[in-house]
């Protein structure tokens, strides 16, 4: 092993130590490691920077824009309402995520599946004050486990099959990996709902545990053609909204107090909610509910171009001492007051009849530039934007679903690559107005992209300097003339390299070594090939080995050690099943 290989392995080891034992941001760690490799000059700069032009990294970037389109058109509400429901027990919620994701990932590329679920789970966790850290790792692991069940489940399977065709003129069947993949997926499913569930970190809820305790009373209305018409309070999901209480329903001239959960909603119902400010914000995103004030519909800007804003009335405010109606607030400020909080408590009056006083906190629906215009004004003591995404454009929900389905279709049938399809879908989201350019830019998690690009650069340095080949060859050499030990060693080294240099690179690197090992032992090569397939997909112990792990790393609020804690036992389970079943299904 040359000095260059030793240096690269030393950089990788140092990066892993920093990730496990410090709280330094992953992007800083990996960029630092890549910088050391570039400055040392042990590989050409273009080889070190290969990750920044990598199709996989750029695909993830495009998928963030696709996910933004789904979120802004309310398409993810369908997932929330029809798949997740209301949380009762965490393991049941996790099961409702893991099972369908596994099934879909067996036949579809798992990257867009995870990209589509992430915003849905974030929204659901925020609404119900659930710890999102309990959802994101199971989402990624379910996608990985499902992909091992068929030939088309992961790109790694297809790459190994391509190598097998070119080397041995043999091709795998579509469901051939299922003999081992399905048992691994079942074992993984059980593990994630039992032991894995207990090992998941107790991160903070998305809502920050009700940091904002200001209370408001707000009146919402069931408009004509609302999908909530004919549903009971329970079925509409309005009964157990965290931090909110449905105080009464005004139906024509009748007031329904102490609302029964089985009460059926009718057109024109006015629902009086009381609760905390964060919950009031969540209420705005429920399809079929709209603020009861007609003033909302008199604003010039479309609803998706408005924000929810809080502002505190100052002593010099021109409407101080006047009612909202008398002061013609909408005409003066181009915004509509939805609710008012005084001294942290709600005011039980119609908004138009409330006399504004110094210190009153106004909850408003306002144009996007409202905060900028008034943050330095002496009319308000404080101006704060609460929800930046605005009201979802539900009318375009079907367009965003069609774009997503089209992307999956062209990839599944080999019409376009994942890279091409993701960029086409991202462009379609922008062209159809499902998302706007500014929102698309802000939706991209640049930290994740930097980690992916830098990790790919470091992994490439392992290959260019020969460090990966030396490690792999030396490791398999310990197996001696025992084929079963050699299969176990093949699994172990493939998995280790997968965690360091990504799954596809590990599979390509180990394939020729494994074929040579089988030939030298005088045994069939198929057990070794299938072992590579399952080991290269068993990336559970670090976030850098598999694309979907990196995608959930930030949204789940995880530390590097969380993947080690939850993933290592699952790696062990997958390894034992693989090493036990592979020689039985494909005899040595």
């Amino acid at each position: 092993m040359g000095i260059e290989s030793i240096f690269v392995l030393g950089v990788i080891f140092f990066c892993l130590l920093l990730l496990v034992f410090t709280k330094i941001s992953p992007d800083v760690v990996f960029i630092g490691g890549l910088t050391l490799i570039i400055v040392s000059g042990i590989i050409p700069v273009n080889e070190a920077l290969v990750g920044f032009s990598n199709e996989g990294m750029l695909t993830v970037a495009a998928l963030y824009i696709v996910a933004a389109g789904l979120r802004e058109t309310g398409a993810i509400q369908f997932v929330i309402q029809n798949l997740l429901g209301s949380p009762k027990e965490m393991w049941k919620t996790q099961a409702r995520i893991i099972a369908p994701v596994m099934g879909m990932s067996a036949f579809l590329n798992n990257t867009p599946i995870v990209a589509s679920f992430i915003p849905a789970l974030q929204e659901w966790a925020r609404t119900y004050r659930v710890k999102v850290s309990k959802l994101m790792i199971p989402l990624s692991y379910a996608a990985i486990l499902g992909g091992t069940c068929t030939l088309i489940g992961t790109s790694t399977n297809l790459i190994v099959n391509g190598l097998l065709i070119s080397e041995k003129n043999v091709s795998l069947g579509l469901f051939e990996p299922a003999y081992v993949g399905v048992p691994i997926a079942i074992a993984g499913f059980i593990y994630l709902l039992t032991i894995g569930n207990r090992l998941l970190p107790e991160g903070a809820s998305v809502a920050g545990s009700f940091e904002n305790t200001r209370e408001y009373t707000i009146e919402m209305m069931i408009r004509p053609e609302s999908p909530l018409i004919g549903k009971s309070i329970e079925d509409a999901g309005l009964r157990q909204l965290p931090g909110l209480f449905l105080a009464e329903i005004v139906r024509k001239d009748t007031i329904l107090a102490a609302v029964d959960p089985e009460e059926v909603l009718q057109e024109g119902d006015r629902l009086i909610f009381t609760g905390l400010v964060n919950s009031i914000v969540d209420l705005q995103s429920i399809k079929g509910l709209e603020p009861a004030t007609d003033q909302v519909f008199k604003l010039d800007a479309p609803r998706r171009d408005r924000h929810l804003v809080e502002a505190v009335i100052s002593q010099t405010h021109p409407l101080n001492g006047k009612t909202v109606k008398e002061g013609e607030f909408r005409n003066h400020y181009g915004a509509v007051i939805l609710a008012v909080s005084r001294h942290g408590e709600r005011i039980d009056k119609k908004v138009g009849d409330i006399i504004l006083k110094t210190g009153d906190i106004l909850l408003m629906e306002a144009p996007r530039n409202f905060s900028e215009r008034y943050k330095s004004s002496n009319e308000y003591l404080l101006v704060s934007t609460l929800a930046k995404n605005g009201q979802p454009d539900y009318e375009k929900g079907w367009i965003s679903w069609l774009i997503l389905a089209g992307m999956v279709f062209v990839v599944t049938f080999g019409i376009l690559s994942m890279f091409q399809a993701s960029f086409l879908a991202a462009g379609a989201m922008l062209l159809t107005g499902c998302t706007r350019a500014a929102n698309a830019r802000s939706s991209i998690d640049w930290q994740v992209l930097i980690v992916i690009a830098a990790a790919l650069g470091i992994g490439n340095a392992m290959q260019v300097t020969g460090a990966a080949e030396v490690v792999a060859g030396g490791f398999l050499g310990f197996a001696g003339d025992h084929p079963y030990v050699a299969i176990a060693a093949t699994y172990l080294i493939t998995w280790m390299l997968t965690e360091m240099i990504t799954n596809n690179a590990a599979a390509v690197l180990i394939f020729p070594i494994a074929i040579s090992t089988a030939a030298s032992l005088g045994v069939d090569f198929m057990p070794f090939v299938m072992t590579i397939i399952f080991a290269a997909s068993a990336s559970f112990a670090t976030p850098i080995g598999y694309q979907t792990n990196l995608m959930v790393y930030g949204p789940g609020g995880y530390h590097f050690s969380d993947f080690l804690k939850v993933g290592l036992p699952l790696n062990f389970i997958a390894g034992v099943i693989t090493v036990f079943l592979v020689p039985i299904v494909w005899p040595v």
Side-chain angles (χ1 to χ4, degrees):
M1 186 182 294
I3 187 67
E4 295 90 353
S5 301
I6 295 172
F7 181 80
V8 171
L9 291 174
V11 169
I12 292 173
F13 182 69
F14 182 62
C15 288
L16 292 177
L17 286 179
L18 290 177
L19 289 168
V20 174
F21 296 108
T22 73
K23 294 185 177 180
I24 301 175
S25 177
D27 56 331
V28 174
V29 171
F30 280 106
I31 282 292
L34 186 63
T35 300
L36 288 176
I37 290 172
I38 292 172
V39 172
S40 69
I42 60 173
I43 64 171
V45 174
N46 64 311
E47 293 286 358
L49 297 179
V50 69
F52 290 90
S53 61
N54 179 267
E55 289 190 5
M57 184 274 291
L58 295 171
T59 297
V60 173
L63 288 172
Y64 278 123
I65 298 175
V66 175
L70 292 169
R71 182 176 59 250
E72 291 182 38
T73 57
I76 59 173
Q77 293 296 328
F78 175 84
V79 177
I80 294 170
Q81 293 170 3
N82 294 279
L83 182 62
L84 300 176
S86 301
K88 293 178 174 63
E89 294 180 75
M90 180 54 69
W91 73 269
K92 290 183 179 178
T93 299
Q94 290 170 332
R96 296 178 76 169
I97 297 168
I98 295 169
V101 168
M102 276 186 179
M104 289 187 286
S105 294
F107 299 98
L108 306 174
N109 188 290
N110 52 26
T111 305
I113 292 172
V114 172
S116 302
F117 266 79
I118 286 174
L121 294 182
Q122 286 178 310
E123 180 78 14
W124 182 84
R126 187 168 62 85
T127 300
Y128 289 102
R129 310 299 186 248
V130 171
K131 293 171 180 175
V132 75
S133 60
K134 293 287 188 180
L135 305 175
M136 290 297 172
I137 279 180
L139 169 65
S140 178
Y141 287 1
I144 295 171
L145 290 166
T148 63
C149 295
T150 66
L151 179 62
I152 62 172
T154 70
S155 58
T156 307
N157 295 2
L158 294 171
I159 287 171
V160 172
N161 189 54
L163 292 171
L164 189 60
I165 293 170
S166 62
E167 289 285 330
K168 299 293 184 179
N169 199 28
V170 175
S171 179
L172 296 173
L174 177 62
F175 293 103
E176 199 164 348
Y179 293 112
V180 177
V182 170
I184 291 175
I186 292 171
F189 182 83
I190 295 169
Y191 166 79
L192 288 172
L193 298 184
T194 53
I195 299 171
N197 187 24
R198 295 188 182 93
L199 294 175
L200 286 166
E202 294 286 340
S205 69
V206 177
S209 302
F210 286 131
E211 290 175 353
N212 297 319
T213 57
R214 297 177 298 284
E215 287 198 353
Y216 292 97
T217 295
I218 189 168
E219 188 174 347
M220 305 294 285
M221 190 172 185
I222 306 293
R223 298 284 177 183
E225 300 180 6
S226 167
L228 302 180
I229 294 173
K231 289 186 177 181
S232 67
I233 299 296
E234 179 88 41
D235 293 339
L238 301 177
R239 185 189 176 209
Q240 295 179 328
L241 291 170
L244 273 181
F245 172 65
L246 178 56
E248 59 187 38
I249 297 177
V250 179
R251 182 172 293 158
K252 297 180 181 177
D253 297 326
T254 305
I255 296 178
L256 306 177
V259 182
D260 190 287
E262 299 305 317
E263 182 67 42
V264 176
L265 295 169
Q266 298 179 14
E267 179 184 332
D269 282 353
R270 304 170 85 88
L271 283 59
I272 314 299
F273 290 94
T274 65
L276 303 175
V277 60
N278 286 341
S279 302
I280 298 292
V281 171
D282 295 337
L283 199 61
Q284 305 296 309
S285 64
I286 296 178
K287 186 176 182 180
L289 273 186
E290 294 178 357
T293 172
D294 292 332
Q295 300 295 313
V296 166
F297 303 99
K298 296 178 182 177
L299 293 177
D300 294 331
R303 290 205 72 195
R304 68 176 300 186
D305 288 341
R306 307 176 207 160
H307 289 167
L308 286 181
V309 174
E310 277 188 308
V312 182
I313 294 286
S314 72
Q315 286 182 319
T316 58
H317 196 285
L319 303 188
N320 203 338
K322 296 181 181 180
T323 67
V324 174
K325 189 183 294 182
E326 288 172 349
E328 298 183 338
F329 188 91
R330 177 179 59 82
N331 293 335
H332 274 91
Y333 296 99
V336 171
I337 298 175
L338 301 178
V340 180
S341 176
R342 183 169 293 160
H343 308 304
E345 298 178 355
R346 57 183 179 270
I347 301 176
D348 293 323
K349 280 186 179 180
K350 286 189 175 182
V351 171
D353 297 333
I354 295 175
I355 299 174
L356 299 178
K357 296 181 180 180
T358 301
D360 283 353
I361 305 175
L362 312 182
L363 179 65
M364 298 178 285
E365 192 168 300
R368 290 176 182 267
N369 61 353
F370 186 93
S371 295
E372 285 296 318
R373 278 168 43 204
Y374 290 103
K375 68 180 181 181
S376 301
S377 168
N378 60 4
E379 298 179 17
Y380 296 100
L381 299 174
L382 180 68
V383 179
S384 173
T385 301
L386 293 175
K388 297 184 178 181
N389 291 328
Q391 179 77 1
D393 187 359
Y394 291 108
E395 291 183 1
K396 291 185 176 178
W398 68 272
I399 298 177
S400 62
W401 275 118
L402 189 64
I403 292 170
L404 178 66
M407 179 182 73
V408 173
F409 178 85
V410 296
V411 171
T412 302
F413 290 94
I415 300 170
L416 294 176
S417 69
M418 189 66 237
F419 172 69
Q420 294 168 319
S422 63
F423 269 77
L424 188 63
M429 289 290 187
L430 289 164
L431 288 173
T432 57
C434 291
T435 185
R436 301 181 188 281
N439 294 346
R441 279 192 293 270
S442 63
S443 71
I444 297 173
D445 191 332
W446 298 102
Q447 185 183 35
V448 168
L449 299 185
I450 289 171
V451 170
I452 294 174
L456 287 170
I458 294 173
N460 192 49
M462 275 192 75
Q463 292 177 267
V464 172
T465 60
E469 190 171 353
V470 170
V471 171
F475 201 90
L476 287 176
F478 285 116
D481 57 356
H482 302 286
Y484 292 101
V485 178
I487 288 173
T490 300
Y491 183 94
L492 196 56
I493 189 60
T494 305
W495 162 67
M496 289 174 63
L497 289 175
T498 291
E499 301 290 11
M500 290 189 287
I501 64 171
T502 76
N503 53 343
N504 289 343
V508 171
L509 184 68
I510 296 297
F511 184 87
I513 300 174
I515 293 293
S516 299
T517 301
S520 65
L521 294 173
V523 297
D524 189 18
F525 57 84
M526 279 303 292
F528 291 86
V529 172
M530 299 310 297
T531 298
I532 291 171
I533 280 180
F534 296 113
S537 293
S539 178
F540 305 115
T542 71
I544 60 176
Y546 209 90
Q547 209 159 256
T548 57
N549 285 350
L550 275 169
M551 292 173 71
V552 302
Y553 193 6
Y558 297 118
H559 297 295
F560 191 91
S561 57
D562 294 327
F563 285 86
L564 282 172
K565 190 191 304 180
V566 184
L568 273 178
L570 186 54
N571 273 125
F572 178 76
I573 292 168
V576 169
I577 293 174
T578 300
V579 173
F580 177 73
L581 287 182
V582 162
I584 295 174
V585 179
W586 297 274
V588 177

